[in-house]
Amino acid sequence: MTGSPFGTAPDGTPVHCWRLDSGSGVSADVLTFGGIVSSLRVPAPSGCVGDIVLGLPGMAEYSAPNPYFGALIGRYGNRIAHGEFTLGEETHRVPATDRGHALHGGPEGFHRRLWKASPAPGNCSDLAALRLELRSPDGEMGFPGTLDVEVTYSLDRSGTLAIDYRARTDRATVVNLTNHSYFNLAGAGHGNVLGHTLELDSDAYLPVTAEAIPLGPPAPTAGTPFDFRTARPIGDRIDEEDDQLTAAGGYDHCWVLTPAGTPGTLRRAARLADPESGRRMEVWTTEPGIQVYTGNALDGSLRGPGGKPYERHGAVCLETQHFPDSPNRPEYPSTVLRPGEEYRSRTEFRFPQLSA
């Protein structure tokens, strides 16, 4: 694991890039700004190594508005309706920046913060592990409580990239952390992902309003374009006349994952495969949901480090998380964290072709 300078943040603070190397062909770059995964290089069965996440050329581009490329998201990933939620007798307000609703923790959420980096416990010759730490003060972006957050990125010799999240608070608050990487297994900027096959371990999803707020309880996917219980191309039904797809311009929905046998244990959430390169990726998580977003708003105006434009549907996000608007939905799994409790979550990105 090695660190190197990566420009400066908007306030002039130096930003560093940390490279995690598995020693078996997979490597990842993580920035101290936003905890961003700026690069994830994975070999194909042919031996060709490609960068499979969408990144930007430098800090000038990461500091400018962009769709959360590779960033750590908090305090609350996804949306909170009208930017309001109530804990006890007190109503809290988060800036509503997305069609009248709060998105991804507000405009100055964790994706805009500088994280303190250090080698994580367990870092050794068989495991590259980077610990990022952040203190979010009481009232930041409207959230109650001082929240101490620790996120560990680790890469082992099998090529598995794991993200471990931990958090503690001194006052009741809500927490929903995730990573917002955009994946294209053919390589960043290498066309769209409509030919990638996707399989989700889920038989229900959350329909949403035109403003991406859940309508209510989960709906079965059987017989709908949202049925990915068996692997099929992402683009297979993405253009069907369906109110949910039309409003979002594609997929931008949370799937309810099949519960694990034991709560809090890892289970597979998704399988993604690119027939052209032969790369495959599995997502394993302890979270109850996964937000699938097919890059519907990408329009070619943003380019990667090599100058390739990121076109519409040029990547897919697989964001493991609790459900959107859970703070206002007591029927959903709770996202409330109280003093004396610890928030813990783990997600793994595995590459089966490396051991085939």
Side-chain angles (χ1 to χ4, degrees), residues 309-334:
Y310 295 148
E311 63 181 64
R312 187 171 185 234
H313 304 316
V316 58
C317 300
L318 300 169
E319 305 161 62
T320 55
Q321 58 186 251
H322 273 55
F323 304 160
D325 200 33
S326 289
N328 296 310
R329 310 289 180 119
E331 69 274 22
Y332 291 176
S334 177

Side-chain angles (χ1 to χ4, degrees), residues 135-155:
R135 169 163 283 189
S136 176
D138 181 29
E140 184 174 50
M141 290 289 100
F143 291 98
T146 297
L147 190 74
D148 288 308
V149 186
E150 180 182 302
V151 178
T152 300
Y153 286 102
S154 60
L155 188 60

Side-chain angles (χ1 to χ4, degrees), residues 4-29:
S4 58
F6 193 83
T8 58
D11 66 357
T13 305
V15 174
H16 287 82
C17 175
W18 286 86
R19 175 160 295 182
L20 284 64
D21 195 327
S22 69
S24 57
V26 178
S27 62
D29 290 350

Side-chain angles (χ1 to χ4, degrees), residues 69-96:
F69 282 145
L72 289 177
I73 302 298
R75 263 183 220 194
Y76 199 92
N78 218 311
R79 292 162 177 85
I80 298 175
H82 310 295
E84 294 187 356
F85 63 95
T86 300
L87 276 176
E89 301 298 321
E90 189 173 355
T91 297
H92 304 278
R93 293 175 176 82
V94 184

Side-chain angles (χ1 to χ4, degrees), residues 140-186:
E140 184 174 50
M141 290 289 100
F143 291 98
T146 297
L147 190 74
D148 288 308
V149 186
E150 180 182 302
V151 178
T152 300
Y153 286 102
S154 60
L155 188 60
D156 65 20
R157 285 197 178 275
S158 74
T160 294
L161 177 66
I163 311 177
D164 285 283
Y165 307 86
R166 301 176 71 175
R168 288 184 177 274
T169 184
D170 62 0
R171 182 183 173 195
T173 190
V174 295
V175 183
N176 188 26
L177 306 180
T178 191
N179 174 273
H180 209 300
S181 288
Y182 287 67
F183 296 98
N184 184 328
L185 299 187

Side-chain angles (χ1 to χ4, degrees), residues 224-261:
T224 77
F226 294 83
D227 189 353
F228 285 93
R229 290 175 294 174
T230 58
R232 62 181 177 84
I234 290 174
D236 188 32
R237 303 181 67 179
I238 199 170
D239 290 325
E240 285 192 9
E241 291 187 9
D242 178 277
D243 290 344
Q244 289 291 309
L245 292 174
T246 300
Y251 297 105
D252 189 8
H253 297 77
C254 185
W255 271 256
V256 177
L257 295 174
T258 302

